[in-house]
Every structure is written in structure tokens, then in C-alpha cells.
Amino acid sequence: DGTVTETTYPEVAKRIGTYTPSEYFGPQYMEIGFNSTYKGLEEVMIGMKIGGKAKFILPPWLSVTGSNGDRWEESANLIYEIELKEVINNIDTWEADTMRRYAAIHYPGLDTLSSHFYFKKLHDAKADSLESETVQVRYIGRLLDGWVFDTNIADTAKKYGIYDTENDYKALDFKHSNDIETMEQDNSMVRGFCMALKDMSYGDKAFTMFGSKYGYDYTGKDPIGPYQPLIFWLYIEPKQ
């Protein structure tokens, strides 16, 4: 009947009333041959070229997933319109190249401190190094295209349309340690976030960017998709 039920285009989502700034609208990563999407959709994409567009009807018997194509996901014919933006042969290389281009534009001369990890101190408060203590952290999390997916700063949340009235927007109580694994376990934060805070102290502000192996890896975590490099702006509040 022509009703649009799902889209990754923000302008279309706004037109049909499903747009929300807290949901990511942009290209979706799909792994061909790993049962990550419908069998019929895979078959169409295999025959496409970069930049190509396709419109097709996907019947229920091709709306299946699972290792044997044994899990039906839809009960009606669906019309798809898709565009193939890019083909990635090596995801590790793609992430590294994407972050390198971002750094060259926004932070010329900045290089990785380790594989897939960038860090730049924006303000050094010259405070003593931290030991095993709890600090209060303010942060803004983004994807490389600028989309803000999380913050504990109320004004920033309002600016980007992700403000939640049930969120108290308090600083994050972060248990600092000289051991990265200990920080991960104690704070339930991704490794890249902990790696950046390891070299910060009271009053410091910093930028960090890291690959998915230090973030949500190949699984992603809603609303962040798989293999997504992440950016964080970080600030440790002064010692009280």
C-alpha cells in the first residue's frame, strides 16, 4: 500500500513521523555471507556496484535468516529501495583509514598512540597524577559523522535533541586505576574510554578517538552499530 515502515534516511523519517535524534540514521553495515540480513537482500546486493541503487520486492520466503535460511522474519511482500555506498574488504583497514582522515581534517598532525587509538589533551590542568581514586567525569560521545549518541551534560543533550527528563545528568563517578582492565571491570565502560582517562587528572579536558576493538566491536550496542569508531570529549572535574 506504499506505507514506509523503516528507513535509514533522516529526511524520510522526518516526513513519515518516525525521526528521533536519539536514533542513528545513516548507512548500515552489513556482512554478506554471515546471516546478518535477509537472504533475498544479500542476493540483490551481491549483484550491485558501488553507488548503485535498487528497488525490488522481497517475498516472505526470501525474508529469512539463520545458517540454513530457516527463520522467517516477515509474513508479507516488502518493497525495498537500497543504495550501496561502499564495499569494505578489510574492516580493520577501513576503520584505520577512516580515523586517519578524520584526524587529518580536525586535528592535523595528531597520530595514534597505539593501533586504532588517538588521544589529545585539550587542556592540561597540571594536577598531580591520579592513583586509585574516584573522579567525576563529564563526557560527550559521538560517531565520526558528528552524531551525538550519549552525554551527561544537560545543555549538550538539549542542543542535540537527546535530552531525557528522567536523566539527572550528574557527572559520572569513575573509579580510576593504573590498570586498564580494572577500570573496565569497575566502571563497565568500553576500553577506549578507560584508556583515555588513564592519562588524565583533575581539571583536564581531552579528545579521544578509537576503533571498534576498543568500543563495541562487531556486535555494536544499540544505538551504535557494529564496527563503529567512537569519539569522546572528556573532562575530569576539579577535585572537591
Side-chain angles (χ1 to χ4, degrees):
D1 62 2
T3 301
V4 177
T5 59
E6 188 176 353
T7 181
T8 61
Y9 291 99
E11 61 275 12
V12 175
K14 291 175 182 178
R15 190 168 67 243
I16 64 176
T18 60
Y19 178 79
T20 172
S22 61
E23 181 179 345
Y24 182 65
F25 289 90
Q28 302 293 308
Y29 179 86
M30 294 183 182
E31 290 185 286
I32 302 299
F34 291 90
N35 308 304
S36 63
T37 189
Y38 297 158
K39 297 293 185 182
L41 187 53
E42 280 194 1
E43 291 181 14
V44 172
M45 287 193 293
I46 288 173
M48 295 179 65
K49 296 181 178 180
I50 297 174
K53 298 181 180 181
K55 183 175 182 179
F56 56 95
I57 297 174
L58 196 66
W61 57 88
L62 288 178
S63 299
V64 294
T65 58
S67 58
N68 298 313
D70 54 2
R71 190 162 63 246
W72 284 43
E73 305 286 350
E74 304 292 347
S75 59
N77 292 333
L78 293 177
I79 299 175
Y80 276 84
E81 294 183 48
I82 63 174
E83 178 181 3
L84 184 61
K85 301 290 289 186
E86 190 174 0
V87 174
I88 301 169
N89 294 313
N90 185 307
I91 191 63
D92 191 68
T93 300
W94 176 83
E95 285 194 49
D97 290 345
T98 301
M99 289 188 290
R100 190 179 300 113
R101 289 193 296 268
Y102 183 96
I105 294 172
H106 298 280
Y107 295 95
L110 181 64
D111 200 358
T112 54
L113 295 184
S114 61
S115 175
H116 289 62
F117 179 76
Y118 291 80
F119 176 83
K120 181 178 179 63
K121 193 170 287 190
L122 304 175
H123 174 71
D124 188 344
K126 307 298 183 182
D128 293 337
S129 298
L130 295 174
E131 299 299 332
S132 297
E133 51 193 300
T134 298
V135 297
Q136 283 66 53
V137 179
R138 296 289 181 178
Y139 64 86
I140 303 170
R142 305 174 184 266
L143 297 189
L144 270 62
D145 63 3
W147 179 64
V148 174
F149 60 84
D150 191 20
T151 183
N152 61 355
I153 303 172
D155 287 346
T156 300
K158 291 175 181 177
K159 178 180 178 179
Y160 291 98
I162 61 173
Y163 184 79
D164 183 356
T165 56
E166 297 183 1
N167 190 329
D168 58 17
Y169 291 97
K170 291 182 179 179
L172 171 68
D173 288 331
F174 186 89
K175 295 180 180 179
H176 194 278
S177 169
N178 290 321
D179 181 70
I180 295 296
E181 291 187 3
T182 298
M183 283 198 286
E184 282 187 273
Q185 295 169 3
D186 288 348
N187 299 285
S188 298
M189 302 298 287
V190 296
R191 175 167 287 243
F193 191 95
C194 298
M195 290 168 65
L197 285 169
K198 183 177 183 297
D199 294 322
M200 295 177 64
S201 190
Y202 291 109
D204 287 353
K205 296 179 182 179
F207 158 89
T208 187
M209 174 173 60
F210 47 86
S212 64
K213 68 179 182 179
Y214 299 131
Y216 296 111
D217 210 6
Y218 62 90
T219 59
K221 183 179 180 181
D222 190 53
I224 299 167
Y227 301 113
Q228 284 280 14
L230 302 178
I231 290 172
F232 279 94
W233 174 89
L234 300 167
Y235 170 55
I236 298 182
E237 294 186 343
K239 190 172 186 178
Q240 300 299 317

